[in-house]
Amino acid sequence: MVGFDTCDDAAVYKLNQEQAVIQTLDFFTPVVDDPFTFGQIAAANALSDVFAMGGIPVTAMNIACFPSCLPPGILGEILRGGAEKVKEAGAIVIGGHTVEDREPKYGLSVMGLVHPKRIVTNAGAEAGDVLVLTKPLGVGILNTAIKGELADEAVYKKNVEVMSYLNQDASRAMIKAGASGCTDVTGFGFLGHAAEMAEASGFTLEIRTENLPVLTESIEFARMGIIPAGAYRNREFIQNKIKILGNIPQEIEDILYDPQTSGGLLIAIRESNVEMLLQELHEKNRTPFAIVGRVKKKTNYSIEVK
Ligand code: CO
Ligand code: CO
Ligand code: CO
């Protein structure tokens, strides 16, 4: 079934003709100071791989690392934030494990269910498909600005809202509209995950930046050079697979490589079904979304940006 070869970061195991299990694991160090909020974001991120595959999350187990020098109440708040998000996703936390560590870390292993014939993967994209992104980019840049105390409270709130928002509504929309392929956009940045989709499906993705959903403040910070180290690593790792054809401003290019925490879904869908998808997203999705390109016959590059 789905293995590591196509870089989908969830494993799928078929139980019977009607059901397959999706199993995922994700955890990381705090991206915000508030422990409850961190728990919410980490859980939204861990649940995302199930949503990206068109699955329904059922159970989740906590995985936590915590220093003995910090008050245990902080860990309690992290777990409470996580449990709340899991509940919002219609699943339940059934246990977990904590070890002592110098730096706190938190995430979950999530189990979800999907019909074996309706699994959506990053390999499913087909030539002619339209690409839709369901959350704005720039989250990593804003986190860097917030850490450097350069951003105000309103920017922090907006960024938290985007990171902690579940990909559940976007997932339901793509299931209803009949998506052919999907991946969630996380640490490798938009272009990193798009390149994985291109390679797994055997096509080239043509990205158009004019309607790219972006957190506007991240453009200003990118112009000032407030860019996380991960964006440079992402660029170095994949830039030979990327062809920039248009006259793209440097800050937009930086945003395309920006590592996202709990980013949106990148959905590939037949042109005839796009209207239905956009309509569904318009009704239910609470983050900005847009058509960001299309899938075409393979060229020398995984991605062409215009
Ligand atoms: Co993941
Ligand atoms: Co993922
Ligand atoms: Co144990």
Side-chain angles (χ1 to χ4, degrees):
M1 308 238 19
V2 180
F4 292 116
D5 49 334
T6 60
C7 295
D8 255 312
D9 43 15
V12 179
Y13 182 81
K14 186 174 168 184
L15 293 175
N16 53 52
Q17 298 308 319
E18 301 291 310
Q19 289 174 310
V21 163
I22 303 171
Q23 191 73 57
T24 77
L25 170 63
D26 252 312
F27 72 128
F28 47 59
T29 54
V31 285
V32 291
D33 288 339
D34 179 61
F36 179 78
T37 307
F38 168 50
Q40 287 191 309
I41 294 167
N45 178 72
L47 289 154
S48 176
D49 283 320
V50 173
F51 289 132
M53 302 194 84
I56 311 256
V58 181
T59 56
M61 295 186 85
N62 292 317
I63 174 161
C65 302
F66 200 74
S68 54
C69 60
L70 286 178
I74 292 178
L75 177 61
E77 278 298 286
I78 295 173
L79 299 179
R80 196 169 68 83
E84 188 158 289
K85 268 292 150 187
V86 170
K87 192 176 163 200
E88 190 187 320
I92 48 165
V93 176
I94 53 168
H97 192 77
T98 303
V99 293
E100 200 191 326
D101 196 0
R102 260 179 301 177
E103 198 175 11
K105 296 174 193 76
Y106 173 65
L108 300 112
S109 174
V110 181
M111 189 278 281
L113 290 172
V114 66
H115 192 286
K117 292 211 167 96
R118 273 172 244 137
I119 301 166
V120 187
T121 72
N122 62 0
E126 299 204 45
D129 280 355
V130 176
L131 297 165
V132 175
L133 178 65
T134 67
K135 276 191 191 184
L137 301 172
V139 160
I141 289 166
L142 290 189
N143 277 334
T144 307
I146 291 159
K147 265 192 197 132
E149 290 175 8
L150 298 162
D152 60 22
E153 186 67 19
V155 170
Y156 170 78
K157 272 198 178 140
K158 198 201 269 185
N159 211 32
V160 162
E161 224 176 88
V162 169
M163 288 187 288
S164 58
Y165 182 55
L166 289 173
N167 280 329
Q168 184 170 37
D169 296 318
S171 178
R172 284 179 181 157
M174 79 155 176
I175 293 166
K176 195 162 175 196
S180 31
C182 181
T183 183
D184 58 342
V185 177
T186 53
F188 298 136
F190 175 77
L191 289 182
H193 293 278
E196 282 184 351
M197 179 182 262
E199 275 159 42
S201 62
F203 296 105
T204 291
L205 306 195
E206 183 183 285
I207 302 303
R208 306 206 69 109
T209 55
E210 64 264 20
N211 293 322
L212 201 70
V214 170
L215 287 153
T216 41
E217 293 82 0
S218 72
I219 299 174
E220 292 160 47
F221 288 117
R223 260 186 216 134
M224 293 160 64
I226 314 295
I227 292 157
Y232 295 103
R233 281 197 297 272
N234 287 342
R235 180 196 293 268
E236 207 155 294
F237 194 58
I238 53 157
Q239 64 180 356
N240 61 333
K241 300 171 183 173
I242 315 284
K243 182 75 178 169
I244 309 273
L245 291 162
N247 219 338
I248 316 289
Q250 183 60 48
E251 56 271 21
I252 296 296
E253 211 182 305
D254 292 332
I255 287 167
L256 289 171
Y257 287 107
D258 182 39
Q260 303 299 283
T261 301
S262 185
L265 300 184
L266 175 61
I267 300 166
I269 187 161
R270 277 201 307 272
E271 187 151 32
S272 55
N273 295 17
V274 176
E275 267 318 306
M276 198 202 293
L277 176 63
L278 295 179
Q279 186 58 38
E280 285 295 314
L281 288 171
H282 186 76
E283 274 168 32
K284 311 225 174 67
N285 202 64
R286 298 204 311 271
T287 45
F289 58 88
I291 291 177
V292 295
R294 62 168 61 235
V295 184
K296 63 178 208 177
K297 233 175 72 191
K298 190 152 179 39
T299 68
N300 289 333
Y301 296 95
S302 296
I303 311 275
E304 294 176 0
V305 186
K306 288 184 174 163

